[in-house]
Amino acid sequence: MNDKNIVRNQVKESLSKLTKPLYEDYSYKIAGRLYEDEDFKHAEVIGITVSKQPEVDTYQIIRKAWELRKQVVVPKCYPKEKRLIFRTLREFSQLESVYYGLLEPIEALTTEVPANKIDLLIVPGLAYTLEGYRLGFGGGYYDRYIPNFLGKTLSLAFKEQIIPQFPVEGFDIPVAKIITNESTIYIK
């Protein structure tokens, strides 16, 4: 088992201890901080994943973005090519459960949105360093997507997901900021 998997398991373990009240409280605080963020305020098209526990709850963020008349785009994974495509999401009924219980946009009901049309990409991850490096869930989808993405990036994380360090590789690209339940971390 490599170092990254050890870190992944440690973070998953600490997240599994978050009670429902804490999970809700932290997610709410993170969302509130996000709504105050300039990149969020100015973004017209937002790329975001549909969360599943123990990730920060994104359902409330998606609803808020809709209320603010923003366009929400969510990822569809193509495992054979290990690539992501973002598609419009106008209502939660346009989602279907795919592998691992992940919810993805139904192709027949949604349209593809190219990377150059997305203003803000909210990048998921399991763990982060203070330098903005992220440890994903192991698929490498975002590592392949981000190099061709020119908009703004940020990540949402519980304080339990911020760790001192993990092995960073040459292709790892840091996010510009991390919003936690305690603060916003701006990456130099």
Side-chain angles (χ1 to χ4, degrees):
M1 187 154 100
N2 68 24
D3 294 347
K4 285 189 172 179
N5 283 335
I6 292 169
V7 173
R8 278 191 186 100
N9 289 339
Q10 287 169 340
V11 174
K12 282 180 183 166
E13 173 70 18
S14 68
L15 288 176
S16 72
K17 297 189 172 109
L18 275 184
T19 62
K20 176 83 168 145
L22 276 180
Y23 170 82
E24 292 295 337
D25 178 56
Y26 290 177
S27 288
Y28 182 72
K29 285 178 174 148
I30 290 166
R33 237 179 253 287
L34 174 67
Y35 306 149
E36 295 302 309
D37 184 82
E38 290 304 311
D39 292 341
F40 180 83
K41 284 181 180 171
H42 295 300
E44 289 175 25
V45 182
I46 295 176
I48 189 169
T49 53
V50 179
S51 61
K52 66 179 200 145
Q53 270 189 314
E55 298 167 281
V56 174
D57 171 35
T58 60
Y59 285 85
Q60 59 186 317
I61 293 166
I62 292 168
R63 282 188 205 101
K64 180 73 164 183
W66 286 335
E67 284 168 19
L68 295 169
R69 301 275 184 266
K70 294 178 186 295
Q71 186 180 5
V72 173
V73 296
V74 295
K76 169 129 187 84
C77 298
Y78 294 90
K80 284 196 182 73
E81 306 102 63
K82 292 269 191 194
R83 68 190 181 98
L84 283 180
I85 296 226
F86 282 81
R87 303 184 71 87
T88 54
L89 185 71
R90 292 195 175 83
E91 49 189 62
F92 290 119
S93 61
Q94 294 174 331
L95 295 169
E96 63 184 343
S97 181
V98 288
Y99 56 98
Y100 303 127
L102 290 173
L103 291 171
E104 291 194 345
I106 299 168
E107 288 192 59
L109 303 178
T110 57
T111 49
E112 186 181 328
V113 175
N116 64 356
K117 294 276 189 277
I118 302 172
D119 302 312
L120 174 63
L121 186 61
I122 297 178
V123 184
L126 193 52
Y128 302 89
T129 66
L130 290 171
E131 293 75 45
Y133 288 104
R134 51 176 280 281
L135 187 57
F137 294 87
Y141 290 95
Y142 281 85
D143 294 326
R144 290 181 192 82
Y145 192 87
I146 292 174
N148 307 313
F149 177 72
L150 301 170
K152 308 269 193 197
T153 59
L154 64 79
S155 289
L156 310 174
F158 299 123
K159 66 180 194 303
E160 287 79 358
Q161 292 173 276
I162 308 293
I163 59 173
Q165 63 192 67
F166 48 74
V168 171
E169 293 169 55
F171 56 78
D172 288 338
I173 298 173
V175 292
K177 68 182 89 157
I178 305 168
I179 296 177
T180 77
N181 45 297
E182 294 184 332
S183 64
T184 299
I185 301 162
Y186 295 92
I187 314 303
K188 302 282 179 286

